[in-house]
Amino acid sequence: MPDPVVDVQQLSRSYGRTQALKQVDLLVRPGQVYGLVGANGAGKTTLIKHLLGLLRAQQGQVRVFNRDPVREPVPVLQQIGYLSEQRDLPEWMRVDELLRYTRAFHPGWDADYAAELLDTFGLDPSKKIKELSKGMRAQAGLIAAVAHRPQLLLLDEPSTGLDALVRRDILNAIIRAVADDGRTAIFSSHLLEEVQLMSDRIVMIDAGQILLDGTLDDLLECHHTFVVDTRNAPIDLVNLPGVLSSEDHGPHSKLVCEHPRVNHEELLANGAQIIQARGATLTEIFVARAGRTQVGKMQQTDEVAMS
Amino acid sequence: MNSPLQAALWRFYRTNRMETALRIGSLTCLLVLVYWPAQSLGDLQLQAVRGVAMLMLLTATLFSSAWLSGLDGTSLHRVEFVRPISTIWMVLVPMSLSILSAMLAYVLPVACLRGLFDAPLPLLGPMAWIMSAVSCCSAPIWAASSPRSRWLGFVAGLIFCSILVALFHWRHQSSLPFLLALGDADYFQFHWYEFLLCLVITGLSLLVAVIGVDHQRHGLKWPWFRHQHEVRGRSTRARDPSTSIATIIGTFAKRPFRSPLAFRGPLAAQIWFELRRVVPTVAMLSILAPMLILAFCLLCPLVDPEWNSASYVWLVASLCCPLLVQFAGADRALGLQHRQGTAWLSSFDASRPVHCDYLVGVKLLVIAVCSLVGSLLMVAVAGAHAGFSGDWRAWQMLSDRLVEVAWYWWPIGLLNLLLVYIGSTSALLVFGLTLALRPRWMSVGIVLGLLQLLLAIWDAKQGWQLQPIWAALCYTTAIALVIFCLWAVRTALVASTVCWTWFRWILGLWLVYAVTGCVALGKLLPALPFEPPLALTVLAYASLVIALGTTVLAPVSLAAHRHG
């Protein structure tokens, strides 16, 4: 098995009283696209910043290419392409100056690829960054991030500002090209359909903790959605082990379940009448998982308050 | 916050508190330091010192980041336009607060000087002038929507203020030179109509700002610009025949865009990047400073025909110029992004695959080159002025002194100068970076320093009754300095923030500096007219480590921003 590109162990980080990451473990193997999924403030950007060495680990360990990105920034960052969420590129630079400048730090710069991407996006290289729209800035940043064909591509909310066409076709093509070359891409997003479209593996993060880490196929396979009629059920089905969430729609309920633990037979045995059964979407899985965490937190708070 | 006014006050406080506190604190410190030793001087000299103090006060209170930051368009965010408040409210509150903070920055140091030394410094007149000058210079920044017009408006405001000052001085018909006149308490006794004029200027400036912001808010143009736009549009349409020869020639003559060549390596790219970041400010300063000195030297003989100190002014200006450029360059080279009172290093800067010591090294190099060029420009203008006026006295005196210096002091002096420059620039970088990261620590430190200074002045007046405390403070500071320096070196080396090669170079330079410093102190201290206490001598020797400490600490401070 090849060496992991990223090895995060027991990583914790807090900003004042806010715990941004709690004992996160993550192992990223080469040649795959990782979708980092989470709500706003879940800790996606904090995790990415640790991989870049832009944040020093307060607890735990971060290794990228088997190196510490804080102690050895040069060899690590040379192999990484990064597009930040803020797109904070120097406004006084022209697009061609940005590429020229970035090129100097990356010996493996592919000028033809950069020119091809410039052409694809239709970006004017003589324009200053400050004259570009938000989407164009994202495109310029994306070219600067991928043109040296990095071993690890880190994209923080890459689709922000990009139109649907660029998002669906070009961004997907760029990320797939990285993975097909045997390199690795990690991108964060809260657009779950997009993540489902592009990723090989999903890392679901919520409130600084990793809820799920697995291949997309496994994840989809082991989560099912049942629409059931619960009027005749003697017990509340949401209390069944393996039922992650329940959403009431009049006489019917939509249950998102972990598949091997909850199946047709079990639901029927508990008095539910199954109206529809299908594989869960990523959005349903995320909402069920994240909602469960929130409910758990609220219950804990209630218990503390009661005691 | 229950009302828009409270919100506006809170916002002004949050975004300007540090800068205002720093400005008032440092001004008070500086003025006390200037005024304290000058008390033993004669009346005329003391008046000149007061003149210098007034000049410093008026200049420093005028230029505040509360409104100067608007030059890059950060004072007014588009998001403000959608707030449910009137434009008048949106502009008047922050502008008035800027004016009030400027006036406060004048009143507090003056009150301090008055309280400590009974210095006869005026209050009302200068406050009126500050009010009108700040409003006059800040109004175009608010009113204009493009960076170019903001700068033009700001410069026009400055010129207008200068003309007003010149007219005031001319009307006053003071027989004294300008600097001495400034130190005269009666000079600022304004008549009622002068106060009225200040009020009118302020009112008009506020009106212009409100109208300008209102135009921006509703996407309108000023009538003159609208007219220009229409004329330009008509003329373009008139000269747009698609089949004319001119169009065909124009198409061919149109220069195709050529991509610039690649850099030779990261060093060249980084130098280019820092130069692009630093040069605009430094170049403007390097051009403006000699021009201002030249204007001063040309105007002074008109005010006082017997004035013949131009060469000394040029000499002082030439010596101060590297420091001025160093300050401005270091401020730009920090590379921090500022918004709404917070500062941070952009991820673009932070994620560059380069070591922190390398980044700091490039910053130091660029600032040094800029300082050198700025100084050369100043010396060139000084030489031209001396050539025209035939006044070479100060330069002659300097060259006579330099000739007396033994040959071996030249290389030693150059090495010392190099380290002092690296150390002081690094200190500025460390200060700027730490201020952005730990503003509370820094402000507490400044306040403590200020209190200590005031206590020292009080104790000096009482005949140094607290001598044991001062001795203990000197010893503690000396030990703290050495420990701090050792900690900085250890941190930098253990965290690999400073590589060994860079450290060896700095250590070598510092050894030369330390030996020279020890020799110089050994000669200087016995030659003093009084015997310095042992504690002060220890502190003087211990302070030699500061240059090494700050040099090593600069990459550590940058790393603190980079790695959170």
PDB file of all heavy atoms in Angstrom, chain A residues 13 53-56 71 84 88 93 96-97 100-101 104-105 126, chain B residues 257 260-261 269-270 273 276 347-348 352 354 494 496 562-564:
ATOM      1  N   ARG A  13      -7.962  21.520  17.994  1.00  0.00           N
ATOM      2  CA  ARG A  13      -7.654  22.956  17.864  1.00  0.00           C
ATOM      3  C   ARG A  13      -8.794  23.761  18.473  1.00  0.00           C
ATOM      4  O   ARG A  13      -9.972  23.453  18.246  1.00  0.00           O
ATOM      5  CB  ARG A  13      -7.533  23.319  16.385  1.00  0.00           C
ATOM      6  CG  ARG A  13      -7.369  24.785  16.100  1.00  0.00           C
ATOM      7  CD  ARG A  13      -5.929  25.168  16.084  1.00  0.00           C
ATOM      8  NE  ARG A  13      -5.755  26.593  16.222  1.00  0.00           N
ATOM      9  CZ  ARG A  13      -4.578  27.196  16.230  1.00  0.00           C
ATOM     10  NH1 ARG A  13      -3.471  26.505  16.100  1.00  0.00           N
ATOM     11  NH2 ARG A  13      -4.480  28.478  16.377  1.00  0.00           N
ATOM     12  N   GLY A  53      -0.014  23.895   7.006  1.00  0.00           N
ATOM     13  CA  GLY A  53       0.916  24.474   7.988  1.00  0.00           C
ATOM     14  C   GLY A  53       0.555  25.900   8.339  1.00  0.00           C
ATOM     15  O   GLY A  53       1.354  26.607   8.954  1.00  0.00           O
ATOM     16  N   LEU A  54      -0.627  26.355   7.953  1.00  0.00           N
ATOM     17  CA  LEU A  54      -1.043  27.716   8.303  1.00  0.00           C
ATOM     18  C   LEU A  54      -1.565  27.776   9.727  1.00  0.00           C
ATOM     19  O   LEU A  54      -1.797  28.854  10.263  1.00  0.00           O
ATOM     20  CB  LEU A  54      -2.119  28.224   7.339  1.00  0.00           C
ATOM     21  CG  LEU A  54      -1.739  28.246   5.867  1.00  0.00           C
ATOM     22  CD1 LEU A  54      -2.829  28.917   5.047  1.00  0.00           C
ATOM     23  CD2 LEU A  54      -0.427  28.942   5.641  1.00  0.00           C
ATOM     24  N   LEU A  55      -1.772  26.622  10.320  1.00  0.00           N
ATOM     25  CA  LEU A  55      -2.084  26.543  11.743  1.00  0.00           C
ATOM     26  C   LEU A  55      -1.220  25.436  12.338  1.00  0.00           C
ATOM     27  O   LEU A  55      -1.097  24.359  11.757  1.00  0.00           O
ATOM     28  CB  LEU A  55      -3.562  26.217  11.957  1.00  0.00           C
ATOM     29  CG  LEU A  55      -4.566  27.328  11.645  1.00  0.00           C
ATOM     30  CD1 LEU A  55      -5.986  26.802  11.768  1.00  0.00           C
ATOM     31  CD2 LEU A  55      -4.377  28.518  12.558  1.00  0.00           C
ATOM     32  N   ARG A  56      -0.635  25.737  13.470  1.00  0.00           N
ATOM     33  CA  ARG A  56       0.187  24.749  14.171  1.00  0.00           C
ATOM     34  C   ARG A  56      -0.747  23.879  15.036  1.00  0.00           C
ATOM     35  O   ARG A  56      -1.656  24.413  15.669  1.00  0.00           O
ATOM     36  CB  ARG A  56       1.178  25.491  15.064  1.00  0.00           C
ATOM     37  CG  ARG A  56       2.320  24.667  15.593  1.00  0.00           C
ATOM     38  CD  ARG A  56       3.068  25.494  16.623  1.00  0.00           C
ATOM     39  NE  ARG A  56       3.635  26.714  16.037  1.00  0.00           N
ATOM     40  CZ  ARG A  56       4.848  26.796  15.520  1.00  0.00           C
ATOM     41  NH1 ARG A  56       5.645  25.753  15.537  1.00  0.00           N
ATOM     42  NH2 ARG A  56       5.296  27.930  15.022  1.00  0.00           N
ATOM     43  N   ARG A  71       7.166  22.720  10.334  1.00  0.00           N
ATOM     44  CA  ARG A  71       8.632  22.718  10.435  1.00  0.00           C
ATOM     45  C   ARG A  71       9.299  22.700   9.066  1.00  0.00           C
ATOM     46  O   ARG A  71      10.389  23.239   8.897  1.00  0.00           O
ATOM     47  CB  ARG A  71       9.096  21.497  11.239  1.00  0.00           C
ATOM     48  CG  ARG A  71       8.821  21.611  12.726  1.00  0.00           C
ATOM     49  CD  ARG A  71       9.481  20.462  13.450  1.00  0.00           C
ATOM     50  NE  ARG A  71      10.930  20.576  13.404  1.00  0.00           N
ATOM     51  CZ  ARG A  71      11.651  21.223  14.313  1.00  0.00           C
ATOM     52  NH1 ARG A  71      11.053  21.801  15.323  1.00  0.00           N
ATOM     53  NH2 ARG A  71      12.955  21.279  14.218  1.00  0.00           N
ATOM     54  N   SER A  84      -7.720  29.239  -1.742  1.00  0.00           N
ATOM     55  CA  SER A  84      -8.328  29.594  -0.448  1.00  0.00           C
ATOM     56  C   SER A  84      -9.786  30.016  -0.627  1.00  0.00           C
ATOM     57  O   SER A  84     -10.191  30.435  -1.712  1.00  0.00           O
ATOM     58  CB  SER A  84      -7.537  30.709   0.222  1.00  0.00           C
ATOM     59  OG  SER A  84      -7.970  31.952  -0.244  1.00  0.00           O
ATOM     60  N   ASP A  88      -7.931  35.418  -1.542  1.00  0.00           N
ATOM     61  CA  ASP A  88      -7.210  36.652  -1.209  1.00  0.00           C
ATOM     62  C   ASP A  88      -5.914  36.780  -2.009  1.00  0.00           C
ATOM     63  O   ASP A  88      -4.821  36.696  -1.476  1.00  0.00           O
ATOM     64  CB  ASP A  88      -6.961  36.765   0.297  1.00  0.00           C
ATOM     65  CG  ASP A  88      -6.417  35.487   0.885  1.00  0.00           C
ATOM     66  OD1 ASP A  88      -6.222  34.529   0.116  1.00  0.00           O
ATOM     67  OD2 ASP A  88      -6.180  35.431   2.093  1.00  0.00           O
ATOM     68  N   MET A  93      -1.844  42.794  -8.648  1.00  0.00           N
ATOM     69  CA  MET A  93      -1.205  41.961  -9.671  1.00  0.00           C
ATOM     70  C   MET A  93      -2.115  41.791 -10.889  1.00  0.00           C
ATOM     71  O   MET A  93      -3.330  41.789 -10.749  1.00  0.00           O
ATOM     72  CB  MET A  93      -0.940  40.574  -9.108  1.00  0.00           C
ATOM     73  CG  MET A  93       0.341  40.417  -8.380  1.00  0.00           C
ATOM     74  SD  MET A  93       0.632  38.660  -8.103  1.00  0.00           S
ATOM     75  CE  MET A  93       2.033  38.743  -7.041  1.00  0.00           C
ATOM     76  N   ASP A  96      -1.442  37.531 -15.442  1.00  0.00           N
ATOM     77  CA  ASP A  96      -0.197  36.911 -15.929  1.00  0.00           C
ATOM     78  C   ASP A  96       0.919  37.062 -14.902  1.00  0.00           C
ATOM     79  O   ASP A  96       1.771  36.179 -14.763  1.00  0.00           O
ATOM     80  CB  ASP A  96       0.218  37.507 -17.273  1.00  0.00           C
ATOM     81  CG  ASP A  96       0.595  38.955 -17.154  1.00  0.00           C
ATOM     82  OD1 ASP A  96      -0.118  39.683 -16.451  1.00  0.00           O
ATOM     83  OD2 ASP A  96       1.616  39.367 -17.730  1.00  0.00           O
ATOM     84  N   GLU A  97       0.905  38.176 -14.165  1.00  0.00           N
ATOM     85  CA  GLU A  97       1.919  38.360 -13.110  1.00  0.00           C
ATOM     86  C   GLU A  97       1.715  37.363 -11.982  1.00  0.00           C
ATOM     87  O   GLU A  97       2.672  36.838 -11.417  1.00  0.00           O
ATOM     88  CB  GLU A  97       1.861  39.786 -12.576  1.00  0.00           C
ATOM     89  CG  GLU A  97       2.450  40.804 -13.528  1.00  0.00           C
ATOM     90  CD  GLU A  97       2.327  42.234 -13.006  1.00  0.00           C
ATOM     91  OE1 GLU A  97       1.398  42.507 -12.227  1.00  0.00           O
ATOM     92  OE2 GLU A  97       3.154  43.066 -13.392  1.00  0.00           O
ATOM     93  N   ARG A 100       3.077  34.155 -13.257  1.00  0.00           N
ATOM     94  CA  ARG A 100       4.531  34.254 -13.359  1.00  0.00           C
ATOM     95  C   ARG A 100       5.174  34.164 -11.975  1.00  0.00           C
ATOM     96  O   ARG A 100       6.186  33.499 -11.771  1.00  0.00           O
ATOM     97  CB  ARG A 100       4.844  35.603 -14.011  1.00  0.00           C
ATOM     98  CG  ARG A 100       6.292  35.916 -14.223  1.00  0.00           C
ATOM     99  CD  ARG A 100       6.371  37.314 -14.799  1.00  0.00           C
ATOM    100  NE  ARG A 100       7.733  37.778 -14.864  1.00  0.00           N
ATOM    101  CZ  ARG A 100       8.109  39.013 -14.558  1.00  0.00           C
ATOM    102  NH1 ARG A 100       7.227  39.892 -14.148  1.00  0.00           N
ATOM    103  NH2 ARG A 100       9.358  39.370 -14.656  1.00  0.00           N
ATOM    104  N   TYR A 101       4.542  34.845 -11.049  1.00  0.00           N
ATOM    105  CA  TYR A 101       5.060  34.861  -9.684  1.00  0.00           C
ATOM    106  C   TYR A 101       4.934  33.482  -9.044  1.00  0.00           C
ATOM    107  O   TYR A 101       5.882  32.970  -8.452  1.00  0.00           O
ATOM    108  CB  TYR A 101       4.278  35.906  -8.881  1.00  0.00           C
ATOM    109  CG  TYR A 101       4.639  35.981  -7.423  1.00  0.00           C
ATOM    110  CD1 TYR A 101       5.883  36.451  -7.028  1.00  0.00           C
ATOM    111  CD2 TYR A 101       3.751  35.585  -6.444  1.00  0.00           C
ATOM    112  CE1 TYR A 101       6.215  36.519  -5.701  1.00  0.00           C
ATOM    113  CE2 TYR A 101       4.074  35.653  -5.111  1.00  0.00           C
ATOM    114  CZ  TYR A 101       5.309  36.125  -4.743  1.00  0.00           C
ATOM    115  OH  TYR A 101       5.646  36.185  -3.418  1.00  0.00           O
ATOM    116  N   ALA A 104       7.465  30.775 -10.091  1.00  0.00           N
ATOM    117  CA  ALA A 104       8.840  30.826  -9.570  1.00  0.00           C
ATOM    118  C   ALA A 104       9.035  29.903  -8.374  1.00  0.00           C
ATOM    119  O   ALA A 104      10.167  29.495  -8.089  1.00  0.00           O
ATOM    120  CB  ALA A 104       9.170  32.260  -9.166  1.00  0.00           C
ATOM    121  N   PHE A 105       7.968  29.571  -7.688  1.00  0.00           N
ATOM    122  CA  PHE A 105       8.101  28.751  -6.480  1.00  0.00           C
ATOM    123  C   PHE A 105       7.858  27.270  -6.751  1.00  0.00           C
ATOM    124  O   PHE A 105       7.982  26.456  -5.860  1.00  0.00           O
ATOM    125  CB  PHE A 105       7.115  29.240  -5.405  1.00  0.00           C
ATOM    126  CG  PHE A 105       7.386  30.648  -4.991  1.00  0.00           C
ATOM    127  CD1 PHE A 105       6.713  31.704  -5.566  1.00  0.00           C
ATOM    128  CD2 PHE A 105       8.362  30.917  -4.045  1.00  0.00           C
ATOM    129  CE1 PHE A 105       6.978  32.999  -5.210  1.00  0.00           C
ATOM    130  CE2 PHE A 105       8.634  32.207  -3.664  1.00  0.00           C
ATOM    131  CZ  PHE A 105       7.943  33.251  -4.249  1.00  0.00           C
ATOM    132  N   SER A 126      -4.021  40.179 -19.068  1.00  0.00           N
ATOM    133  CA  SER A 126      -3.529  41.537 -18.808  1.00  0.00           C
ATOM    134  C   SER A 126      -4.404  42.271 -17.782  1.00  0.00           C
ATOM    135  O   SER A 126      -4.144  43.415 -17.458  1.00  0.00           O
ATOM    136  CB  SER A 126      -3.487  42.325 -20.112  1.00  0.00           C
ATOM    137  OG  SER A 126      -4.785  42.449 -20.616  1.00  0.00           O
TER     138      SER A 126
ATOM    139  N   PHE B 257      -0.820  41.815 -26.511  1.00  0.00           N
ATOM    140  CA  PHE B 257      -0.386  41.572 -25.139  1.00  0.00           C
ATOM    141  C   PHE B 257       0.666  40.467 -25.113  1.00  0.00           C
ATOM    142  O   PHE B 257       0.490  39.411 -25.699  1.00  0.00           O
ATOM    143  CB  PHE B 257      -1.582  41.168 -24.286  1.00  0.00           C
ATOM    144  CG  PHE B 257      -1.173  40.851 -22.892  1.00  0.00           C
ATOM    145  CD1 PHE B 257      -0.879  41.872 -22.022  1.00  0.00           C
ATOM    146  CD2 PHE B 257      -1.029  39.542 -22.483  1.00  0.00           C
ATOM    147  CE1 PHE B 257      -0.477  41.587 -20.738  1.00  0.00           C
ATOM    148  CE2 PHE B 257      -0.631  39.250 -21.209  1.00  0.00           C
ATOM    149  CZ  PHE B 257      -0.346  40.276 -20.341  1.00  0.00           C
ATOM    150  N   PRO B 260       4.913  38.395 -19.638  1.00  0.00           N
ATOM    151  CA  PRO B 260       6.289  38.649 -19.215  1.00  0.00           C
ATOM    152  C   PRO B 260       7.078  37.354 -19.033  1.00  0.00           C
ATOM    153  O   PRO B 260       6.497  36.279 -18.888  1.00  0.00           O
ATOM    154  CB  PRO B 260       6.107  39.372 -17.882  1.00  0.00           C
ATOM    155  CG  PRO B 260       4.744  39.072 -17.446  1.00  0.00           C
ATOM    156  CD  PRO B 260       3.934  38.760 -18.629  1.00  0.00           C
ATOM    157  N   LEU B 261       8.406  37.502 -19.048  1.00  0.00           N
ATOM    158  CA  LEU B 261       9.263  36.316 -18.926  1.00  0.00           C
ATOM    159  C   LEU B 261       9.189  35.751 -17.515  1.00  0.00           C
ATOM    160  O   LEU B 261       8.857  36.449 -16.570  1.00  0.00           O
ATOM    161  CB  LEU B 261      10.712  36.713 -19.227  1.00  0.00           C
ATOM    162  CG  LEU B 261      10.984  37.123 -20.677  1.00  0.00           C
ATOM    163  CD1 LEU B 261      12.376  37.690 -20.775  1.00  0.00           C
ATOM    164  CD2 LEU B 261      10.802  35.938 -21.605  1.00  0.00           C
ATOM    165  N   ALA B 269      11.599  36.254  -7.789  1.00  0.00           N
ATOM    166  CA  ALA B 269      10.146  36.480  -7.722  1.00  0.00           C
ATOM    167  C   ALA B 269       9.765  37.196  -6.436  1.00  0.00           C
ATOM    168  O   ALA B 269       8.964  38.130  -6.456  1.00  0.00           O
ATOM    169  CB  ALA B 269       9.423  35.140  -7.802  1.00  0.00           C
ATOM    170  N   GLN B 270      10.382  36.765  -5.349  1.00  0.00           N
ATOM    171  CA  GLN B 270      10.028  37.353  -4.058  1.00  0.00           C
ATOM    172  C   GLN B 270      10.497  38.809  -3.974  1.00  0.00           C
ATOM    173  O   GLN B 270       9.785  39.670  -3.438  1.00  0.00           O
ATOM    174  CB  GLN B 270      10.642  36.505  -2.932  1.00  0.00           C
ATOM    175  CG  GLN B 270      10.095  36.774  -1.557  1.00  0.00           C
ATOM    176  CD  GLN B 270       8.578  36.652  -1.484  1.00  0.00           C
ATOM    177  OE1 GLN B 270       7.988  35.866  -2.222  1.00  0.00           O
ATOM    178  NE2 GLN B 270       7.953  37.442  -0.640  1.00  0.00           N
ATOM    179  N   PHE B 273       8.111  40.831  -5.924  1.00  0.00           N
ATOM    180  CA  PHE B 273       6.851  40.951  -5.193  1.00  0.00           C
ATOM    181  C   PHE B 273       6.953  42.023  -4.103  1.00  0.00           C
ATOM    182  O   PHE B 273       6.101  42.904  -3.990  1.00  0.00           O
ATOM    183  CB  PHE B 273       6.509  39.589  -4.577  1.00  0.00           C
ATOM    184  CG  PHE B 273       5.209  39.561  -3.835  1.00  0.00           C
ATOM    185  CD1 PHE B 273       4.015  39.478  -4.512  1.00  0.00           C
ATOM    186  CD2 PHE B 273       5.185  39.609  -2.451  1.00  0.00           C
ATOM    187  CE1 PHE B 273       2.805  39.438  -3.832  1.00  0.00           C
ATOM    188  CE2 PHE B 273       3.989  39.574  -1.763  1.00  0.00           C
ATOM    189  CZ  PHE B 273       2.802  39.492  -2.458  1.00  0.00           C
ATOM    190  N   ARG B 276       7.254  45.514  -5.573  1.00  0.00           N
ATOM    191  CA  ARG B 276       5.977  46.023  -6.050  1.00  0.00           C
ATOM    192  C   ARG B 276       5.100  46.480  -4.882  1.00  0.00           C
ATOM    193  O   ARG B 276       4.290  47.387  -5.018  1.00  0.00           O
ATOM    194  CB  ARG B 276       5.232  44.940  -6.855  1.00  0.00           C
ATOM    195  CG  ARG B 276       5.762  44.713  -8.254  1.00  0.00           C
ATOM    196  CD  ARG B 276       5.478  45.873  -9.192  1.00  0.00           C
ATOM    197  NE  ARG B 276       4.068  46.157  -9.333  1.00  0.00           N
ATOM    198  CZ  ARG B 276       3.291  45.673 -10.285  1.00  0.00           C
ATOM    199  NH1 ARG B 276       3.805  44.895 -11.200  1.00  0.00           N
ATOM    200  NH2 ARG B 276       2.012  45.987 -10.340  1.00  0.00           N
ATOM    201  N   SER B 347      -3.708  34.276   3.114  1.00  0.00           N
ATOM    202  CA  SER B 347      -3.284  32.895   2.875  1.00  0.00           C
ATOM    203  C   SER B 347      -2.386  32.818   1.643  1.00  0.00           C
ATOM    204  O   SER B 347      -1.584  31.906   1.502  1.00  0.00           O
ATOM    205  CB  SER B 347      -4.490  31.981   2.726  1.00  0.00           C
ATOM    206  OG  SER B 347      -5.292  32.425   1.669  1.00  0.00           O
ATOM    207  N   PHE B 348      -2.504  33.799   0.750  1.00  0.00           N
ATOM    208  CA  PHE B 348      -1.613  33.842  -0.414  1.00  0.00           C
ATOM    209  C   PHE B 348      -0.162  34.028   0.039  1.00  0.00           C
ATOM    210  O   PHE B 348       0.746  33.379  -0.464  1.00  0.00           O
ATOM    211  CB  PHE B 348      -2.028  35.008  -1.324  1.00  0.00           C
ATOM    212  CG  PHE B 348      -1.196  35.132  -2.568  1.00  0.00           C
ATOM    213  CD1 PHE B 348      -1.426  34.314  -3.644  1.00  0.00           C
ATOM    214  CD2 PHE B 348      -0.169  36.051  -2.646  1.00  0.00           C
ATOM    215  CE1 PHE B 348      -0.659  34.412  -4.796  1.00  0.00           C
ATOM    216  CE2 PHE B 348       0.600  36.167  -3.780  1.00  0.00           C
ATOM    217  CZ  PHE B 348       0.355  35.344  -4.861  1.00  0.00           C
ATOM    218  N   ARG B 352       3.030  30.391   0.760  1.00  0.00           N
ATOM    219  CA  ARG B 352       4.122  30.360  -0.225  1.00  0.00           C
ATOM    220  C   ARG B 352       5.191  29.376   0.236  1.00  0.00           C
ATOM    221  O   ARG B 352       5.560  29.366   1.407  1.00  0.00           O
ATOM    222  CB  ARG B 352       4.729  31.767  -0.325  1.00  0.00           C
ATOM    223  CG  ARG B 352       5.443  32.018  -1.608  1.00  0.00           C
ATOM    224  CD  ARG B 352       5.607  33.479  -1.793  1.00  0.00           C
ATOM    225  NE  ARG B 352       4.333  34.173  -1.743  1.00  0.00           N
ATOM    226  CZ  ARG B 352       4.178  35.396  -1.272  1.00  0.00           C
ATOM    227  NH1 ARG B 352       5.195  36.064  -0.815  1.00  0.00           N
ATOM    228  NH2 ARG B 352       2.988  35.960  -1.257  1.00  0.00           N
ATOM    229  N   VAL B 354       8.169  28.987   0.959  1.00  0.00           N
ATOM    230  CA  VAL B 354       9.430  29.658   1.281  1.00  0.00           C
ATOM    231  C   VAL B 354       9.543  29.738   2.808  1.00  0.00           C
ATOM    232  O   VAL B 354       8.532  29.918   3.495  1.00  0.00           O
ATOM    233  CB  VAL B 354       9.444  31.098   0.698  1.00  0.00           C
ATOM    234  CG1 VAL B 354      10.769  31.766   0.973  1.00  0.00           C
ATOM    235  CG2 VAL B 354       9.190  31.089  -0.783  1.00  0.00           C
ATOM    236  N   VAL B 494      15.298  26.173  17.371  1.00  0.00           N
ATOM    237  CA  VAL B 494      14.613  24.900  17.631  1.00  0.00           C
ATOM    238  C   VAL B 494      13.450  24.704  16.650  1.00  0.00           C
ATOM    239  O   VAL B 494      13.250  23.616  16.114  1.00  0.00           O
ATOM    240  CB  VAL B 494      14.108  24.850  19.096  1.00  0.00           C
ATOM    241  CG1 VAL B 494      13.156  23.688  19.315  1.00  0.00           C
ATOM    242  CG2 VAL B 494      15.287  24.730  20.046  1.00  0.00           C
ATOM    243  N   SER B 496      13.302  25.820  13.769  1.00  0.00           N
ATOM    244  CA  SER B 496      13.857  25.947  12.398  1.00  0.00           C
ATOM    245  C   SER B 496      13.303  27.176  11.676  1.00  0.00           C
ATOM    246  O   SER B 496      13.203  27.191  10.455  1.00  0.00           O
ATOM    247  CB  SER B 496      13.552  24.710  11.553  1.00  0.00           C
ATOM    248  OG  SER B 496      13.966  23.569  12.201  1.00  0.00           O
ATOM    249  N   ARG B 562       2.039  33.146  10.336  1.00  0.00           N
ATOM    250  CA  ARG B 562       1.889  32.147   9.275  1.00  0.00           C
ATOM    251  C   ARG B 562       1.284  30.854   9.777  1.00  0.00           C
ATOM    252  O   ARG B 562       0.487  30.223   9.097  1.00  0.00           O
ATOM    253  CB  ARG B 562       3.284  31.849   8.734  1.00  0.00           C
ATOM    254  CG  ARG B 562       3.417  32.060   7.277  1.00  0.00           C
ATOM    255  CD  ARG B 562       4.792  31.696   6.834  1.00  0.00           C
ATOM    256  NE  ARG B 562       4.704  30.978   5.591  1.00  0.00           N
ATOM    257  CZ  ARG B 562       5.742  30.531   4.935  1.00  0.00           C
ATOM    258  NH1 ARG B 562       6.952  30.711   5.420  1.00  0.00           N
ATOM    259  NH2 ARG B 562       5.587  29.898   3.807  1.00  0.00           N
ATOM    260  N   HIS B 563       1.704  30.460  10.968  1.00  0.00           N
ATOM    261  CA  HIS B 563       1.278  29.150  11.478  1.00  0.00           C
ATOM    262  C   HIS B 563       0.272  29.271  12.616  1.00  0.00           C
ATOM    263  O   HIS B 563       0.089  28.336  13.384  1.00  0.00           O
ATOM    264  CB  HIS B 563       2.490  28.350  11.951  1.00  0.00           C
ATOM    265  CG  HIS B 563       3.558  28.230  10.923  1.00  0.00           C
ATOM    266  ND1 HIS B 563       3.313  27.706   9.675  1.00  0.00           N
ATOM    267  CD2 HIS B 563       4.868  28.582  10.922  1.00  0.00           C
ATOM    268  CE1 HIS B 563       4.440  27.741   8.968  1.00  0.00           C
ATOM    269  NE2 HIS B 563       5.381  28.281   9.694  1.00  0.00           N
ATOM    270  N   GLY B 564      -0.344  30.438  12.730  1.00  0.00           N
ATOM    271  CA  GLY B 564      -1.396  30.606  13.736  1.00  0.00           C
ATOM    272  C   GLY B 564      -0.888  30.420  15.143  1.00  0.00           C
ATOM    273  O   GLY B 564      -1.552  29.766  15.949  1.00  0.00           O
TER     274      GLY B 564
END
